[in-house]
Structure formats: structure tokens, C-alpha cells
């Protein structure tokens, strides 16, 4: 299958290079891949090791992560591969920068995932100036997305992604897809340097809706991309209507992207919860 005739870039959300290989053979293309600590913990080799009662040293687990992203990068040298720093609520910007720069040197096509917290944005501001590509993760609000835009002013197009996690908003009864629409609308008054990456995609409907509204990037798990590929990788039909259950819509906020990033409200409970989960999943791998 040749590359599609629509604008959204298609990424695989997985920590398993076998899935990359499989999707590449089914779909014929991939524009990139996103990984995170939870996805690395789900990698079958990691799982086997844990079942055998073997954990990793801190160095070993990083080496394993590096091998995974090297393998993926080799399969799609022209794509983007997101690698996430370890961060919990006490991790400083300096510690994220140190890790992130090392990870950025692992492969030529990395985007470094940093959480949208005060420390994460401070790290992003500095790293972007040094030419590092970043993917700002655990986004659950428009004001967090505005802060990402403001903190990374001056970046090249394609250098910065923001990743709203829509499935986790659905989980608390809010319509996650409406946040993507709001951020796209907010950014339409900006300079286009941040790309919106729809993440935490849980269903075919989420995925098709992200194409329909023109998210810059959509990342989906293997099963969703595989099913879509079997259908011939279509754009949603004209009559496709995204019809989520009885969720609360997230209303649009008017925000000024030219304000300093520190002036935006960075707090969202799901960001804190997401950080805790990533850290716990990673720490569970280490002796
Ligand atoms: O793309 C981010 C993703 O891996 C998180 O997904 O299903 O854990 O909310 P989920």
C-alpha cells in the first residue's frame, strides 16, 4: 500500500519492534512511532524476563530501551521515534535535560518526550533552543497546550509535538476528542511550530475522528492500525459521524499564545496521575 492521500501522519503506539515490522508490512508505511515507560514494560521480552523472576539494573533497562528504539529507527529512518525520559513529581528540569540529551543521541530521528509540568516545560524551553526535538506528553487541557506553544517559541516546524491523551479524558467522562479540536483551533492563531499528536487512542472511532478533524499526527496501537489496514486504510467517509457516549464536551477557551508559558495553568490531575503511573511501571522493572 502506498502512502495515503491525507494530511495526518500515522504513528504506531508501541514498545515492541515486532509490531512495527508487522504494521510496516501490512500498511506499507508508517510516519513514526511513540513509546513510553508503560509500553516498554509491556514489551514481550521484558514480560518474559519478569515472569522468570529477573529484573533489570537501572543501566540494563536503559540499554534495553535504547536497543528497542534503535531497532525501530532502523526500520523507519525517515520517521520519528518518541523516547520518554523518566520523570516523577520530584524530577528536576536539569535531570530531564541530562536524560533527554543522552536519549536524543541514541538515534538520528528521536523526539524526546517530556511531561507538561513546570520542570518539563523548563527542560523543553532549553532543549528546543539547542535543536532537540521534543514531544510534550500527558496533555489534558488547552492551557497546557498553550504553555507548550509559548515555551517552545522559535522552534522549527516538526520540532515540537504536543500529545493530548484522549482515551484518559474519556475515562473520566469528558469528550477527549473535543480537546483535540480545541487545541487545533487555538493553534490556528499561532505560527504552526507545534504539531498536535492525538494519543491514547483506544478505538477505530477515535482514530478515524483524528483523521477527519485533521490532527497533525495520530498514534494508535497495533490492533487499531492493523484493522484499518485490512479495510484499505481509508479516510473516514463523508457520513462518518463521531458519536461518543454521553460525555461532557470540553468547551473552548480563548487564550493568548503570546503570554509567557509560566502564566498558563499547568495543573491537571490526570497529568499527575499519568506521571505516577509511568514512574511506577518503570520502577517495577528495576531491582
Ligand atoms: O499514546 C499514549 C498512550 O500510550 C497512552 O495510552 O491507553 O494508556 O491511555 P493509554
Amino acid at each position: 500500500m502506498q502512502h495515503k492521500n491525507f494530511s495526518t501522519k500515522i504513528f504506531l503506539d508501541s514498545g515492541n519492534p515486532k509490531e512495527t515490522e508487522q504494521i510496516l508490512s501490512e500498511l506499507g508505511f508508517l510516519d513514526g512511532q511513540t513509546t513510553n515507560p508503560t509500553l516498554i514494560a509491556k514489551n514481550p521480552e521484558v514480560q518474559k524476563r519478569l515472569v522468570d523472576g529477573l529484573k533489570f539494573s537501572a543501566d540494563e533497562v536503559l540499554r534495553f530501551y535504547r536497543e528497542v528504539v534503535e531497532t525501530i529507527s532502523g526500520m523507519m529512518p525517515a520517521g520519528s521515534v518518541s523516547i520518554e525520559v523518566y520523570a516523577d513529581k520530584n524530577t528536576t528540569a536539569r535531570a530531564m535535560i541530562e536524560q533527554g540529551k543522552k536519549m536524543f543521541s541514541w538515534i538520528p530521528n528521536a523526539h524526546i518526550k517530556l511531561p507538561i509540568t513546570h520542570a518539563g516545560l523548563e527542560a523543553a524551553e532549553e532543549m528546543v533552543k539547542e535543536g532537540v526535538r521534543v514531544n510534550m506528553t500527558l496533555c489534558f487541557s488547552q492551557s497546557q497546550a498553550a504553555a507548550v506553544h509559548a515555551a517552545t517559541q522559535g522552534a522549527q516546524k516538526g520540532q515540537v509535538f504536543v500529545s493530548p491523551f484522549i482515551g484518559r479524558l474519556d475515562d473520566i467522562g469528558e469528550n477527549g476528542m473535543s480537546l483535540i479540536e480545541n487545541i487545533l483551533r487555538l493553534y490556528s492563531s499561532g505560527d504552526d511550530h507545534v504539531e498536535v499528536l492525538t494519543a491514547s487512542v483506544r478505538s477505530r472511532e477515535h482514530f478515524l475522528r483524528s483523521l477527519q478533524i485533521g490532527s497533525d499526527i495520530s498514534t494508535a496501537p497495533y490492533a487499531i492500525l492493523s484493522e484499518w489496514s485490512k479495510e484499505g486504510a481509508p479516510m473516514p467517509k463523508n457520513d462518518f459521524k463521531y458519536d461518543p457516549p454521553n460525555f461532557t464536551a470540553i468547551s473552548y477557551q480563548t487564550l493568548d499564545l503570546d503570554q509567557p508559558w509560566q502564566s498558563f495553568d499547568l495543573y491537571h490531575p490526570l497529568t499527575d496521575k499519568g506521571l505516577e503511573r509511568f514512574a511506577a511501571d518503570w520502577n517495577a522493572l528495576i531491582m
Side-chain angles (χ1 to χ4, degrees):
M1 190 179 300
Q2 272 314 300
H3 205 300
K4 72 288 160 168
N5 57 358
F6 48 89
S7 59
T8 303
K9 287 180 262 189
I10 308 300
F11 284 19
L12 172 67
D13 195 28
S14 168
N16 180 1
K18 296 223 162 58
E19 293 187 339
T20 319
E21 195 179 3
Q22 192 61 30
I23 283 297
L24 280 169
S25 87
E26 291 176 28
L27 199 54
F29 73 89
L30 262 182
D31 299 304
Q33 182 155 341
T34 43
T35 70
N36 64 41
T38 304
L39 293 171
I40 293 297
K42 284 185 185 157
N43 176 295
E45 280 180 53
V46 173
Q47 284 301 314
K48 179 170 182 315
R49 208 169 151 139
L50 295 184
V51 169
D52 295 343
L54 300 167
K55 288 199 175 189
F56 295 80
S57 70
D59 282 348
E60 279 170 343
V61 79
L62 272 181
R63 211 171 310 135
F64 180 83
Y65 197 177
R66 179 176 181 154
E67 283 165 14
V68 164
V69 296
E70 281 174 348
T71 309
I72 296 167
S73 170
M75 286 189 253
M76 51 166 119
S80 151
V81 183
S82 284
I83 314 172
E84 185 155 339
V85 300
Y86 172 86
D88 56 34
K89 63 178 186 333
N90 300 316
T91 308
T92 60
R94 192 53 40 210
M96 290 189 211
I97 293 168
E98 258 171 47
Q99 291 182 69
K101 282 196 191 165
K102 269 194 206 130
M103 289 169 154
F104 193 65
S105 73
W106 287 354
I107 52 172
N109 49 349
H111 272 81
I112 300 304
K113 286 177 94 173
L114 301 163
I116 306 178
T117 56
H118 196 280
L121 285 163
E122 223 178 285
E125 187 175 31
E126 182 171 325
M127 286 164 77
V128 158
K129 284 193 190 119
E130 295 181 27
V132 175
R133 290 176 294 271
V134 298
N135 176 353
M136 304 306 295
T137 192
L138 292 169
C139 177
F140 295 99
S141 75
Q142 219 189 297
S143 80
Q144 289 179 324
V148 168
H149 195 283
T152 58
Q153 279 300 346
Q156 302 293 311
K157 185 165 169 56
Q159 196 182 349
V160 183
F161 302 155
V162 65
S163 290
F165 275 30
I166 58 168
R168 295 192 191 181
L169 284 164
D170 285 8
D171 288 344
I172 58 163
E174 295 183 16
N175 180 3
M177 282 314 309
S178 60
L179 177 63
I180 302 290
E181 290 177 63
N182 293 345
I183 297 173
L184 289 170
R185 180 173 160 196
L186 172 74
Y187 282 1
S188 67
S189 64
D191 63 3
D192 241 18
H193 78 274
V194 185
E195 297 191 324
V196 180
L197 189 163
T198 302
S200 181
V201 164
R202 306 268 181 77
S203 66
R204 178 177 176 276
E205 284 64 35
H206 278 153
F207 180 68
L208 291 180
R209 181 67 177 160
S210 71
L211 303 185
Q212 188 177 50
I213 61 178
S215 179
D216 300 289
I217 305 165
S218 188
T219 192
Y222 170 80
I224 292 174
L225 291 186
S226 178
E227 186 192 344
W228 181 62
S229 161
K230 288 190 182 89
E231 293 166 3
M235 260 303 268
K237 299 214 167 56
N238 287 344
D239 60 355
F240 172 76
K241 200 171 166 315
Y242 180 65
D243 206 6
N246 231 350
F247 290 147
T248 314
I250 300 172
S251 43
Y252 183 76
Q253 273 177 285
T254 303
L255 296 169
D256 178 359
L257 293 173
D258 291 328
Q259 293 305 306
W261 67 262
Q262 295 87 344
S263 70
F264 294 105
D265 182 7
L266 299 179
Y267 177 72
H268 195 287
L270 291 181
T271 302
D272 286 3
K273 208 168 150 194
L275 260 188
E276 274 168 32
R277 174 160 160 212
F278 282 151
D281 286 346
W282 191 251
N283 288 328
L285 307 179
I286 300 171
M287 297 184 259

